[in-house]
Amino acid sequence: KWAEDLPRFNENLIIEVFIGKSAWHANYTKNFSAVQTKYPDMVDWLESETSTKEEDVKVWGVYKKDYVFSDLKELVDNGGKLKVKKKKKKHSSSEDEGTGKGKQPQRRSLLWSLLCLMSAVLPVSATLPLYMKLLVFAIFLPLAAAVPQTQAFPDIPFKVFSAFVENTFSSEVSLATVLLVLFSMTENTELLNLHARQQIPEFDGENRTLATGWIRAFSRAIMHKMKRDVQALFLEREFPPTRYHQVTKLSTKLDAFAKLLNLTPYDDENNFKTKLLPVSYDAIQAVQTLCPDSMFCMNAQCDPRALLQATKTTDIPLVTLIKDNTVYQDVPVLTGKCNTCDTTYHADHERFKDEHGLWNKCYLNSARYLKVGQSTWVDRKFSHTVLSGMYDFHASAAAYTQFWNDSTSVNSSDFQITRRQIWQTFIQESVRMVASTRKTNLELRENLNINEVTKEAYSILGNTGILEDAKDHACSQCSQPYKANADSIVNTNVAHADPNAMDVDYAPVKMVVLDGIVMGPVHCAYEKCTADLKNARGGAFCNEHEILFGNNCRVGTCQNTKVDGTQACRQHQSQWRKYKLEHSRSSMAGVRRMLQRPTENLPWQPNVPRPAQPHDNDDEEDETPRTHYFGPSRFYCVETICAPCGVVIAWTKFDKSESPTKILNFLGSVYPTADSRPNYICIDKACKVLRTSIANKSWDTWQKTSRFIVDSYHYINHRTTDYLCRKWCNPAPLNGSAPNLVKVAKDKNGKLYLQRAFNTQACEQLNAWLGGFESILKRMTSGNFDWFLHAMLVYHTQQVIRKQEQKKKPVQIQEIGNEEEDEEEEN
């Protein structure tokens, strides 16, 4: 029986589901009732599967490719025939492509079949059993047919193809040239559609054109691509003398080639078949393999012996490969081995024994493919895109994963990449990028997890945050020729220098800019300990202090044992519950805490007591001690040194404060010798650093080579009564005391004016860009934080230098040459 909670199964139900009462009674009932009673030929025509052109004319009175409901209404109103309308021949649209010109039998549309079935079934539906009624519903359900997006690659006999090449092109034509023309044809089906349509006139005023403007433009593009090798497309003694006739001749060849490949929407009798679709290359997609890049053993203690394929046939893994943004399935991974030294060679690394007999892994900078998952590999183009995307868009691994999976270029594939694989891709690519700047390949112990890889990579390649290559960088923005006397503008037009100055060769004057940005990873909560956390997800202590104090109450100096499931003893449970409430994501306080900006405290947010962060304090003994150790501590800021042009020289993390003492120690580690130190060091608190340097006697060393100055942005806020700052830290003194900080420049009208010789805001600009990564970095472990930041700064430095090199190159604009003679006017 029909379920009681469902609508009653009857004719009205079917009408409401598939058509609607209003449309059914207004149009369908009237017209189909008239057809059934007055026009038996039309009933037979509707119930038939196909029909010929003669049958269509007999029933309708007029031949059309498709008959719609308005035609049926007109037929009933006119007494059984459609009116013959005189109009120009209209080209078939994309909706009716593939139906021919009427010579082939025409198939009934789905709508007619559905209506005929309904008219036959409705009168007897009430007497059918339940399963038959459900079957009727299943029959009436509309089916979606996918429209093909591509067409098959041209499939002609090679003998025919070879004969055409021999009879059309030069006998000296190369395989590369033939393939260039072939794939140019298959890649431009839209142009071939336009060309073919213009060749077949259908309306008054249209003329038949053999070499249309479309194919001529295509010919010129191929000739521009081939340049001097264009003669290979012509037979001997066939090459025309003028460019116009060369284009015409090549156009006829390309037209014949398109017809040979069946890349035309018309048949041999000029009847429209179907619009050309983009050509699919699945049939000729190359078979991919992943194998070592080395062709012989590269071990220095071994001979360059041939490598043997070491993987058993039954053990060869079949993986997924992303290459050129295309997903390849079931790609075999092959491994090479040297039988003498037992070194194994893979597509992305080498496995060898060190002097202690332990297996190590060498990450090859020259690898073409990288393994980023258990059965997933990517090419270097993909990995570089991940690195570049995360750099340019401040994207996290999760954001880039979502972007790639949603991109239109991979929608046709069922493969979905994961966040872990994107992070692995970033690590693998960045390791090789940084290692290449150090001109080495990273070697680590085998079987390290990804977190251990980042720690070891920073320990070996990070150089404590110093970018050695950038220290020697010099350009017009970060170094200026030495001047013993200051420039001056006399009579507002002429710049004069001291005529009595001696002509002595001095090294160029260099400046570096130093500043910090408040962000950093978490570390051990114990006083004066900055070690990594033992448990990055909820832990507060490093491994050492977790062993010492892990079972104790985390409130102050309390030595009681904590209650299971909490971090406090029974006496301090109220403090623990308060901490949980303030830091819980499920509470309103936690929601507000997640939404607020860093360092922002709005009236409606909970007033959580936190110890004041001493920004410039040098006396760490005066710091307010922590009342509890429920959560970990966090590094205060990241300090960076960069050149005025934006090249990053070094970086480090400061804990608790950005004190002048820490700044001096940081500068001393980056510039340990007098020869390496810059002439000017620009800091927003240069006057405080100078006072601290004088107090701790380090100024005796620095004054011989360098001078501390305040950047122009912060200098305006320093007190005018601060004599030390105004005298020694002025970024652009006009009294001639620092002639290398001011230079003469011209404005757009040619008028001379004085300007600062260096960009003192370089670090502020760097920090503004670096702040975009704060939401990503603050959730990372210390090891991941160090490597991610170091890799991004190295990549940033490469980008700055690359842009400087591009500016030096002259801009060249190439255009496809115009024909020597005017082309014939196209119709």
Side-chain angles (χ1 to χ4, degrees):
K1 295 182 179 179
W2 190 259
E4 296 181 356
D5 57 339
L6 293 179
R8 184 179 178 184
F9 183 83
N10 53 28
E11 177 180 329
N12 293 332
L13 177 61
I14 299 178
I15 293 173
E16 289 179 2
V17 170
F18 294 102
I19 298 176
K21 288 183 177 180
S22 299
W24 174 262
H25 292 291
N27 300 311
Y28 292 81
T29 303
K30 175 183 176 182
N31 294 315
F32 276 98
S33 299
V35 167
Q36 286 182 320
T37 57
K38 299 180 181 180
Y39 308 109
D41 292 342
M42 176 62 70
V43 175
D44 296 338
W45 186 90
L46 289 172
E47 293 179 346
S48 64
E49 290 292 330
T50 60
S51 64
T52 63
K53 181 177 180 180
E54 292 75 12
E55 292 173 341
D56 294 345
V57 174
K58 178 181 178 181
V59 174
W60 292 89
V62 176
Y63 172 74
K64 296 180 65 176
K65 282 188 171 297
D66 281 319
Y67 299 95
V68 295
F69 191 82
S70 59
D71 295 331
L72 182 65
K73 185 176 184 298
E74 181 182 348
L75 181 140
V76 174
D77 294 340
N78 293 335
K81 297 292 181 181
L82 292 179
K83 291 183 179 180
V84 179
K85 297 180 180 180
K86 295 182 179 181
K87 60 179 180 178
K88 294 181 179 180
K89 182 179 179 182
K90 186 177 179 181
H91 191 269
S92 56
S93 64
S94 59
E95 296 179 356
D96 54 49
E97 290 171 357
T99 56
K101 289 286 184 176
K103 294 189 175 183
Q104 299 296 328
Q106 191 175 28
R107 185 172 296 276
R108 296 282 74 74
S109 66
L110 179 62
L111 177 61
W112 296 124
S113 301
L114 176 62
L115 293 174
C116 293
L117 281 171
M118 288 181 64
S119 63
V121 170
L122 284 177
V124 297
S125 60
T127 61
L128 293 176
L130 176 60
Y131 72 91
M132 289 298 295
K133 295 177 181 178
L134 295 177
L135 180 60
V136 170
F137 268 91
I139 294 174
F140 285 165
L141 287 177
L143 302 177
V147 178
Q149 300 296 323
T150 59
Q151 66 182 44
F153 191 83
D155 188 16
I156 63 173
F158 180 76
K159 182 178 180 180
V160 176
F161 179 81
S162 175
F164 177 85
V165 172
E166 291 179 356
N167 297 329
T168 306
F169 303 138
S170 170
S171 59
E172 301 297 328
V173 66
S174 65
L175 175 62
T177 300
V178 174
L179 294 179
L180 166 65
V181 177
L182 172 62
F183 289 114
S184 297
M185 302 290 287
T186 57
E187 283 290 325
N188 291 277
T189 53
E190 296 87 354
L191 184 143
L192 296 179
N193 280 323
L194 295 166
H195 164 66
R197 175 61 186 86
Q198 190 174 350
Q199 283 189 320
I200 310 297
E202 296 188 7
F203 295 94
D204 295 339
E206 292 185 341
N207 298 323
R208 184 181 299 276
T209 306
L210 180 61
T212 66
W214 303 105
I215 203 70
R216 293 180 70 88
F218 189 37
S219 300
R220 288 196 298 272
I222 292 178
M223 293 173 65
H224 178 76
K225 172 74 174 179
M226 297 186 61
K227 295 181 171 53
R228 296 182 179 179
D229 297 331
V230 70
Q231 292 189 21
L233 298 178
F234 299 88
L235 296 172
E236 287 73 10
R237 300 180 181 179
E238 188 188 36
F239 190 66
T242 64
R243 179 176 175 82
Y244 177 81
H245 292 93
Q246 292 170 13
V247 172
T248 302
K249 188 65 176 178
L250 182 57
S251 298
T252 59
K253 293 175 181 285
L254 296 178
D255 177 70
F257 198 17
K259 293 176 180 177
L260 176 76
L261 298 173
N262 200 24
L263 293 177
T264 173
Y266 294 89
D267 59 19
D268 295 337
E269 298 180 1
N270 294 338
N271 294 319
F272 182 78
K273 299 182 300 183
T274 182
K275 179 182 176 182
L276 294 180
L277 298 174
V279 174
S280 171
Y281 295 98
D282 292 343
I284 61 170
Q285 190 177 72
V287 175
Q288 305 289 333
T289 61
L290 297 171
C291 55
D293 183 56
S294 303
M295 60 182 296
F296 50 80
C297 183
M298 303 293 292
N299 195 326
Q301 286 74 39
C302 184
D303 297 328
R305 296 178 177 273
L307 303 180
L308 304 180
Q309 204 291 104
T311 310
K312 295 181 181 180
T313 304
T314 56
D315 295 337
I316 295 177
L318 300 178
V319 301
T320 300
L321 171 65
I322 303 175
K323 181 179 180 182
D324 295 330
N325 215 28
T326 301
V327 179
Y328 296 86
Q329 302 288 353
D330 298 332
V331 177
V333 181
L334 307 177
T335 303
K337 182 178 181 181
C338 175
N339 281 343
T340 302
C341 62
D342 290 335
T343 301
T344 56
Y345 294 82
H346 304 260
D348 63 338
H349 71 277
E350 296 175 4
R351 180 175 177 266
F352 65 96
K353 287 184 179 180
D354 60 11
E355 61 273 13
H356 304 292
L358 300 177
W359 286 105
N360 284 3
K361 181 178 180 180
C362 177
Y363 295 78
L364 299 175
N365 297 339
S366 60
R368 293 179 57 202
Y369 306 99
L370 303 176
K371 183 178 182 181
V372 299
Q374 185 174 6
S375 60
T376 304
W377 289 67
V378 299
D379 64 350
R380 293 298 294 275
K381 182 184 295 185
F382 178 89
S383 61
H384 179 75
T385 303
V386 170
L387 176 61
S388 178
M390 297 175 76
Y391 166 82
D392 290 324
F393 304 119
H394 296 90
S396 63
Y400 191 90
T401 301
Q402 190 67 34
F403 158 75
W404 195 86
N405 287 334
D406 291 344
S407 62
T408 56
S409 58
V410 295
N411 278 347
S412 59
S413 173
D414 295 332
F415 176 78
Q416 295 281 290
I417 203 163
T418 65
R419 180 192 61 81
R420 292 178 181 271
Q421 291 170 343
I422 291 294
W423 178 247
Q424 180 77 242
T425 302
F426 170 80
I427 297 300
Q428 295 287 344
E429 177 65 22
S430 59
V431 159
R432 289 165 172 82
M433 181 267 297
V434 176
S436 63
T437 63
R438 304 291 300 274
K439 298 179 175 59
T440 184
N441 291 312
L442 178 63
E443 296 180 1
L444 300 177
R445 301 190 315 275
E446 192 182 28
N447 297 326
L448 296 179
N449 62 46
I450 191 64
N451 292 327
E452 293 172 331
V453 169
T454 56
K455 289 182 181 179
E456 294 295 327
Y458 182 73
S459 175
I460 297 172
L461 302 174
N463 195 25
T464 65
I466 301 174
L467 284 66
E468 289 291 346
D469 296 340
K471 287 178 63 177
D472 301 328
H473 171 74
C475 66
S476 60
Q477 298 182 50
C478 55
S479 64
Q480 299 288 339
Y482 174 81
K483 293 183 297 185
N485 299 285
D487 294 338
S488 62
I489 301 178
V490 181
N491 297 329
T492 68
N493 285 319
V494 184
H496 291 282
D498 186 357
N500 298 320
M502 295 181 62
D503 188 9
V504 181
D505 291 334
Y506 289 94
V509 178
K510 292 187 176 181
M511 174 189 283
V512 297
V513 188
L514 186 145
D515 197 10
I517 178 172
V518 179
M519 67 177 181
V522 294
H523 61 81
C524 179
Y526 197 75
E527 296 296 333
K528 299 182 180 180
C529 179
T530 58
D532 293 348
L533 299 176
K534 179 182 179 181
N535 177 17
R537 295 181 177 273
F541 288 140
C542 62
N543 188 49
E544 177 183 357
H545 292 110
E546 184 69 30
I547 295 174
L548 294 175
F549 307 107
N551 293 326
N552 293 348
C553 176
R554 300 288 176 86
V555 177
T557 58
C558 180
Q559 299 295 318
N560 297 331
T561 302
K562 63 183 181 182
V563 178
D564 291 342
T566 70
Q567 299 295 336
C569 62
R570 296 185 182 278
Q571 180 181 354
H572 298 108
Q573 282 297 303
S574 59
Q575 293 178 254
W576 167 247
R577 286 192 294 269
K578 181 180 179 182
Y579 174 84
K580 288 289 289 181
L581 176 64
E582 292 171 350
H583 293 79
S584 174
R585 292 186 179 182
S586 60
S587 65
M588 287 301 296
V591 173
R592 295 191 187 102
R593 176 174 167 271
M594 288 190 295
L595 293 177
Q596 73 179 6
R597 297 179 179 179
T599 70
E600 187 177 60
N601 189 19
L602 300 177
W604 59 82
Q605 294 172 342
N607 187 16
V608 181
R610 294 185 176 89
Q613 190 74 277
H615 182 70
D616 301 321
N617 190 14
D618 258 334
D619 190 359
E620 296 186 358
E621 299 299 330
D622 293 341
E623 294 176 5
T624 305
R626 295 186 55 161
T627 58
H628 61 75
Y629 301 100
F630 294 146
S633 298
R634 187 178 290 273
F635 282 96
Y636 175 63
C637 70
V638 171
E639 199 77 8
T640 56
I641 300 176
C642 68
C645 63
V647 169
V648 182
I649 297 173
W651 72 276
T652 190
K653 303 189 297 277
F654 285 168
D655 189 31
K656 296 187 182 299
S657 68
E658 187 188 24
S659 66
T661 300
K662 293 176 181 178
I663 291 176
L664 288 170
N665 293 337
F666 179 39
L667 288 170
S669 65
V670 177
Y671 302 105
T673 62
D675 295 339
S676 63
R677 291 169 185 161
N679 303 90
Y680 293 96
I681 301 174
C682 182
I683 316 172
D684 57 355
K685 59 186 77 174
C687 47
K688 291 186 177 181
V689 175
L690 178 58
R691 287 189 175 90
T692 303
S693 178
I694 295 173
N696 63 19
K697 307 299 182 182
S698 63
W699 180 242
D700 297 339
T701 302
W702 284 103
Q703 69 174 342
K704 299 176 182 178
T705 58
S706 306
R707 176 174 170 180
F708 297 109
I709 64 171
V710 180
D711 66 277
S712 58
Y713 176 77
H714 290 89
Y715 183 73
I716 59 177
N717 295 322
H718 286 223
R719 294 181 179 178
T720 56
T721 57
D722 190 341
Y723 174 79
L724 183 68
C725 180
R726 296 290 169 177
K727 174 68 175 177
W728 298 104
C729 302
N730 191 336
L734 298 179
N735 59 2
S737 60
N740 295 290
L741 292 179
V742 181
K743 66 179 181 179
V744 176
K746 288 184 179 181
D747 61 14
K748 62 181 181 179
N749 297 320
K751 187 177 180 180
L752 300 178
Y753 68 97
L754 295 176
Q755 70 170 191
R756 297 183 182 90
F758 299 98
N759 174 24
T760 61
Q761 300 299 306
C763 256
E764 293 288 346
Q765 295 161 357
L766 174 67
N767 290 341
W769 166 78
L770 203 58
F773 293 107
E774 182 184 8
S775 60
I776 304 173
L777 289 168
K778 69 182 181 182
R779 291 175 173 82
M780 289 186 179
T781 62
S782 183
N784 288 343
F785 181 99
D786 291 345
W787 179 253
F788 183 89
L789 184 58
H790 186 75
M792 282 300 172
L793 292 177
V794 171
Y795 189 74
H796 176 75
T797 298
Q798 291 181 347
Q799 295 297 97
V800 172
I801 296 175
R802 181 182 62 83
K803 291 178 181 178
Q804 292 177 352
E805 295 297 328
Q806 286 181 344
K807 290 181 180 179
K808 297 178 182 178
K809 298 178 181 179
V811 179
Q812 296 181 355
I813 301 176
Q814 294 185 353
E815 296 181 356
I816 299 178
N818 295 325
E819 299 183 358
E820 296 178 357
E821 293 88 0
D822 294 336
E823 295 187 13
E824 298 176 356
E825 183 178 357
E826 296 181 8
N827 296 318

